[in-house]
Amino acid sequence: MAEWRKVAKAVVLADGHVSEKEVNILRREILADGIVSKSEFDFLNEIKKEAKSTVKALDVLIAECQSKM
């Protein structure tokens, strides 16, 4: 069975850029239950670190998630 983190990262980082659309999907899924786990927060930071470029919305999402931890 595939590990969800590896699959999700591969999809989001396929072109090296994290787009607004991808951030919207991450936001919807991570904030669905109103709680952000350390694993989810770490995942967002890993994506930011590994991406060649990102939109500002990813920084906003990371800050929002940090405030919900």
Side-chain angles (χ1 to χ4, degrees):
M1 175 182 255
E3 186 180 335
W4 73 266
R5 273 178 104 101
K6 288 181 182 178
V7 173
K9 262 206 263 187
V11 170
V12 172
L13 297 172
D15 64 356
H17 174 73
V18 179
S19 70
E20 195 80 35
K21 183 176 182 179
E22 291 162 334
V23 172
N24 289 338
I25 292 167
L26 290 167
R27 174 185 300 305
R28 183 181 68 232
E29 296 304 318
I30 290 174
L31 298 177
D33 61 1
I35 301 167
V36 178
S37 70
K38 180 173 178 354
S39 176
E40 291 168 327
F41 184 72
D42 290 347
F43 175 73
L44 290 175
N45 282 303
E46 288 170 19
I47 287 174
K48 169 114 175 117
K49 182 180 175 185
E50 294 176 28
K52 292 177 185 168
S53 63
T54 66
V55 294
K56 179 70 177 162
L58 181 59
D59 294 327
V60 172
L61 175 58
I62 290 170
E64 186 177 348
C65 288
Q66 187 171 23
S67 72
K68 294 189 181 290
M69 290 182 64

